[in-house]
Amino acid sequence: MLNYTYFKNVSAGIGVKVVHGYATVITEKYDATFGNTVDPDGGWALSGNFDTRILRSTSFDPDDDADEFDPIGTPAGTGIGFDIGVAADVYPAIRAAFSITDLGSITWTKNTKETIGHGSFVITNPSNQAQLDTIKDAFAGRDTTTGEFSTDLASSLRLGASVQVDQLPFIHSFPGRLLVTFEYHQGFNNAPGNTTRARFAIGTEYRPAMWFPIRTGISMGGIDRFNWGAGFGFDFGGFNWNFGSENLGLVFSNNNWDQVSFGTSMIIRI
C-alpha cells in the first residue's frame, strides 16, 4: 500500500496547441515483389509487381512556377494537439512524472494530391524499350487531385523518475552530488519522428564540485535502437557553458559517421 505521506510537491497540467503543417508526404500503401524466373526460351526473366498509394499536401503548388514556398504563409494543414502530465515527490530525493503528449491530428486541405502506382512487368530483354516502359509506368504512378486527409500527431506516453542519490535519507556521506534519471517512452503510432518500439533511457549527472557537472546516459529501443551520450559543463551560477554529444555511436562503429554528433550551449542569467 502506498504511503501518501511522501507524496509532496504534486503538480499537474494540460496543454492545448494549434499545429500548422506546411508540407507532408505520406506513403499509405507500398507493396512490391521482385524475382528472377527461368525463361522458357532460355536465360532468365525479371518479373515484379508494384502497388503503391502516396498522399501529399503542400502550402504552395509545386506545378506552378510562380507559387513559391512561404514559411509564414497559409499552412497546408492545421490541427489541435493536447498534452497532459503530472509529477510529484514520491519519496525524499525521488521525483516521478507521467505524461501523454501530442494527442491529436492534422487535417491537410491545400494542394492535396494522390499518386497511385500499380503494375506488373516481365523483363526478358533489357534493350526492349516497351518492356522498360512498363517498369517506368509502374514506378511513376498516376497523379490525381484528392480531397482533404488527416494524419496523426506523434502521440506518446512517457514515464520518468529522478533520484538525487546524495540526498537519500539513508545516504549519510557522499562525495559530490549525483543525480540519476530514468525514462520509459512508448509511442502510440509510427508518425514521422515516432515509433511504436518502446525506448528506455537512463542518465546521470555527477558533480565532484558544484561548478563542474559530468553527464552521461544511454537509451535502448526506439528509432535509434541504441544511443550513448556524454558531456560536461561549467556552472558558475550566472554563467553556464555546456559541451556534449547525444550519440557516440562512432565508438562502436568506426565506419558509421552518421551516428556521431557534438554540441555546445552557453547560458547567461541576468
Side-chain angles (χ1 to χ4, degrees):
M1 194 173 198
L2 291 174
N3 185 345
Y4 293 96
T5 303
Y6 294 121
F7 278 70
K8 299 179 179 179
N9 300 319
V10 178
S11 59
I14 181 170
V16 181
K17 52 196 174 187
V18 177
V19 184
H20 287 175
Y22 289 85
T24 187
V25 178
I26 303 296
T27 302
E28 281 276 297
K29 180 182 181 182
Y30 182 87
D31 186 10
T33 58
F34 303 93
N36 289 325
T37 58
V38 178
D39 188 346
D41 297 327
W44 294 85
L46 172 65
S47 61
N49 296 282
F50 188 78
D51 190 8
T52 187
R53 179 173 181 255
I54 298 174
L55 297 172
R56 65 183 187 274
S57 174
T58 55
S59 60
F60 65 99
D61 187 352
D63 298 323
D64 185 355
D65 294 336
D67 194 3
E68 298 182 351
F69 173 70
D70 184 357
I72 59 174
T74 303
T78 59
I80 300 292
F82 299 90
D83 301 332
I84 59 174
V86 61
D89 294 337
V90 296
Y91 190 78
I94 300 179
R95 187 165 180 82
F98 160 86
S99 68
I100 298 178
T101 59
D102 292 317
L103 293 172
S105 63
I106 298 179
T107 300
W108 304 91
T109 59
K110 193 173 181 182
N111 296 317
T112 55
K113 300 285 186 179
E114 178 185 54
T115 301
I116 297 178
H118 177 75
S120 301
F121 57 85
V122 177
I123 303 297
T124 58
N125 182 2
S127 62
N128 187 312
Q129 188 60 45
Q131 293 183 5
L132 294 177
D133 287 343
T134 61
I135 300 180
K136 179 181 177 181
D137 292 341
F139 277 91
R142 175 172 50 87
D143 278 353
T144 60
T145 301
T146 186
E148 67 180 40
F149 61 92
S150 297
T151 57
D152 292 330
L153 298 179
S155 307
S156 63
L157 163 72
R158 298 174 186 268
L159 298 172
S162 64
V163 182
Q164 192 68 50
V165 176
D166 55 284
Q167 294 182 8
L168 289 170
F170 51 83
I171 300 293
H172 303 292
S173 178
F174 194 90
R177 298 192 64 183
L178 176 62
L179 176 68
V180 181
T181 62
F182 308 87
E183 184 191 66
Y184 173 79
H185 177 274
Q186 176 62 64
F188 295 145
N189 53 40
N190 289 305
N194 203 24
T195 177
T196 55
R197 186 185 302 116
R199 181 175 68 93
F200 177 77
I202 179 172
T204 64
E205 180 187 83
Y206 176 59
R207 293 177 179 251
M210 287 302 297
W211 58 270
F212 185 51
I214 303 170
R215 308 177 179 104
T216 189
I218 62 172
S219 67
M220 294 167 285
I223 295 176
D224 295 327
R225 303 296 181 98
F226 178 81
N227 270 1
W228 171 38
F232 64 94
F234 300 100
D235 183 355
F236 300 113
F239 174 76
N240 286 22
W241 197 359
N242 300 299
F243 305 85
S245 170
E246 67 172 356
N247 195 336
L248 294 173
L250 185 64
V251 175
F252 303 99
S253 177
N254 293 333
N255 296 322
N256 198 351
W257 283 89
D258 64 349
Q259 290 196 21
V260 63
S261 62
F262 296 97
T264 183
S265 68
M266 187 179 298
I267 301 172
I268 299 176
R269 297 184 177 91
I270 299 177

